[in-house]
Amino acid sequence: MKMSLHKIWLIVRSEYWRRVRSTAFILATLLVPFGFILVAAAPAALGYLAQQSSTKTVAVVDQTGRLADSLAAASDAQLIFRPVDRPPDSVRAAVRAGTYDGYLLLSDSVFTGQGGATYYSTQGGALTDQLQIEDRVDRVVRQQRLRAADATKSVLAILQSDTNVKTRTLREDGAGADHTLAYTIIGYAMAFVIYFAVFVYGQYVMQGVIEEKSNRVVEIIVSSVRPFELLMGKVLGIGAMGLTQMVVWAALVMGGLAGAAPLIALFLDPSSLGVAPDASSQAMAEAAGLSIPTIPFDLIIWFILFFLGGFLLYASLFAAVGSAVEQQQDAQNLLLPVMTPLILPILFLTFILESPDATISVVLSLIPFFSPILMMLRAAITTVPVWEMAAAFGLLAATFLGMIWLAGRIYRVGILSYGKTPSLREIARWVTYR
């Protein structure tokens, strides 16, 4: 009996339309991108609001007699330094009474490096406040040390000035803006999208198989189609659903980011960016490094291919696990061989980012169980030869064919097996059954 492509197509269509028409799918597709944006933006927004709404007043007990006025001059709307000529015990009581948020004790040996500065407060203070206090004390002490060493004003100005280093990418038509950070973020995003998509949609496949088996629906279905056809149709149908969701999410996120950069540029100071006061928001966004780079079309194509390849590879294994059990909790003991090669690539992400062209990075990104995540990360942050991309995808496709055959052998026995949860050794024996 030969495999029927028509029956596989019917199962693919059924699985796809049944899921994409569900309310849960529609809500998840529309709301998840906004949830991610909210989670990413909320901490920064709340931190900004907290910084704008809070003012810290710090009393300065200056035992050197030379730093208090300089610190007072370094005050701003969020952090105010108030020199006080009182003993530390009196200032400590004022802090406890709420007159000051804290006090800064500058020892008389701070210039020699033998002593330092100590900040006292009743609640310890926020991390941002502590860093700002440390930064301003460090700058004031450095300036006083330079003046004590007879440094001229020109030398002080040189030491206080910063050099703005811009990076540019060489192209055939000249030099363009460097988007290393942006492409690194894109590569990270692609890697984690594939990781979570494979994990989540693979779970969908496993849960669907378990539900059909526990409801005995599969016994009716296999009377009309072969188990392998059912497995293939289910995997491809859920894979198409996942790809649809990925495309919608990508369109929503890219549209949101395209509008966010000019909006953020409205709050930037043109003079600090070195652009004209009447510069457009797009020019300010580019000067601030907020412009979104154009994602190469071939990178998008490779992302789709590796997403599908990775999903099909792991979904077939999730389906095999689901066919061997009758309840979700019974599958946990059998998931370790499936989850281990899926989790391992996450451990290599940092090394790949630091050395994307190293021999180890190339070898790891060619391994079929790792390539959907690691190869996409490399492709986003460096120029990967086409032959490496093609070789990685070829190995991935070949491994999928081998795994879908292996999973099909397990699936045909597992979906009609009830009772005790089989061990890994018993599942291995199912492969040889005729």
Side-chain angles (χ1 to χ4, degrees):
M1 182 177 181
K2 296 182 179 180
M3 180 176 63
S4 172
L5 295 179
H6 177 67
K7 291 181 179 179
I8 293 178
W9 167 247
L10 291 177
I11 297 171
V12 170
R13 188 174 62 181
S14 174
E15 288 286 341
Y16 178 80
W17 286 113
R18 178 167 60 88
R19 295 178 185 276
V20 299
R21 290 175 178 174
S22 66
T23 304
F25 175 86
I26 296 173
L27 290 177
T29 303
L30 296 178
L31 297 181
V32 165
F34 296 103
F36 276 115
I37 294 174
L38 181 62
V39 170
L46 292 176
Y48 175 79
L49 293 175
Q51 186 179 18
Q52 295 299 315
S53 61
S54 64
T55 300
K56 297 288 184 181
T57 302
V58 178
V60 180
V61 180
D62 183 12
Q63 295 180 346
T64 68
R66 292 184 289 173
L67 297 176
D69 292 339
S70 297
L71 278 173
S75 301
D76 57 21
Q78 282 75 46
L79 188 59
I80 301 174
F81 292 97
R82 292 279 176 81
V84 294
D85 188 13
R86 296 160 59 183
D89 291 342
S90 177
V91 179
R92 190 178 298 113
V95 171
R96 290 198 179 110
T99 305
Y100 306 106
D101 293 292
Y103 78 94
L104 182 66
L105 178 62
L106 302 172
S107 66
D108 54 4
S109 57
V110 68
F111 291 114
T112 64
Q114 297 177 354
T118 307
Y119 176 67
Y120 297 90
S121 66
T122 56
Q123 297 180 349
L127 178 60
T128 303
D129 295 334
Q130 295 178 8
L131 293 176
Q132 288 183 351
I133 292 172
E134 182 179 352
D135 176 66
R136 296 185 195 187
V137 170
D138 185 58
R139 280 189 291 160
V140 169
V141 171
R142 185 185 302 113
Q143 290 174 0
Q144 290 294 336
R145 285 177 174 173
L146 289 170
R147 290 192 181 99
D150 295 328
T152 62
K153 291 183 178 180
S154 60
V155 172
L156 292 175
I158 292 173
L159 293 174
Q160 293 173 5
S161 63
D162 297 324
T163 301
N164 184 20
V165 179
K166 297 181 179 180
T167 56
R168 292 290 184 264
T169 301
L170 292 177
R171 300 171 182 169
E172 294 182 358
D173 55 348
D178 180 77
H179 296 294
T180 300
L181 178 60
Y183 282 124
T184 300
I185 296 174
I186 291 172
Y188 242 118
M190 285 183 171
F192 276 100
V193 163
I194 291 178
Y195 170 77
F196 284 111
V198 168
F199 178 77
V200 172
Y201 298 131
Q203 293 279 344
Y204 281 168
V205 173
M206 185 178 70
Q207 291 173 2
V209 172
I210 293 175
E211 290 175 2
E212 291 177 353
K213 181 178 178 180
S214 60
N215 295 333
R216 303 294 178 110
V217 175
V218 71
E219 296 179 5
I220 301 175
I221 298 177
V222 295
S223 63
S224 302
V225 299
R226 299 176 64 189
F228 182 81
E229 295 169 347
L230 178 60
L231 170 64
M232 198 70 173
K234 186 176 292 293
V235 169
L236 292 177
I238 296 178
M241 177 205 73
L243 183 60
T244 301
Q245 208 164 44
M246 291 292 107
V247 171
V248 174
W249 285 348
L252 291 175
V253 171
M254 293 302 295
L257 291 177
L263 181 62
I264 295 175
L266 296 176
F267 298 92
L268 299 176
D269 182 13
S271 60
S272 64
L273 299 175
V275 297
D278 57 347
S280 64
S281 59
Q282 184 65 29
M284 291 181 61
E286 292 180 357
L290 298 176
S291 60
I292 301 175
T294 302
I295 301 178
F297 181 73
D298 58 341
L299 184 62
I300 298 175
I301 296 299
W302 283 119
F303 172 76
I304 295 174
L305 292 177
F306 277 96
F307 166 78
L308 291 176
F311 167 77
L312 294 175
L313 173 60
Y314 281 98
S316 61
L317 299 180
F318 276 108
V321 171
S323 67
V325 298
E326 297 179 47
Q327 297 180 358
Q328 181 74 27
Q329 55 267 30
D330 297 333
Q332 303 307 313
N333 296 330
L334 301 178
L335 280 176
L336 182 61
V338 178
M339 295 301 301
T340 299
L342 183 58
I343 295 174
L344 282 178
I346 304 301
L347 304 179
F348 304 129
L349 290 182
T350 302
F351 180 82
I352 298 291
L353 282 174
E354 295 294 333
S355 306
D357 297 319
T359 302
I360 297 178
S361 299
V362 175
V363 173
L364 288 174
S365 62
L366 290 174
I367 298 175
F369 289 96
F370 301 166
S371 60
I373 297 174
L374 299 186
M375 185 57 79
M376 289 312 306
L377 179 61
R378 289 188 60 225
I381 62 179
T382 189
T383 302
V384 179
V386 176
W387 73 265
E388 288 186 18
M389 301 290 294
F393 181 75
L395 291 172
L396 178 61
T399 304
F400 159 67
L401 293 176
M403 289 296 104
I404 196 69
W405 176 85
L406 184 66
R409 304 285 292 183
I410 298 173
Y411 186 83
R412 66 192 175 95
V413 179
I415 56 173
L416 298 177
S417 299
Y418 299 93
K420 179 183 176 182
T421 302
S423 63
L424 292 175
R425 181 175 298 180
E426 289 176 308
I427 293 177
R429 286 202 298 266
W430 290 355
V431 179
T432 61
Y433 286 178
R434 293 185 179 277

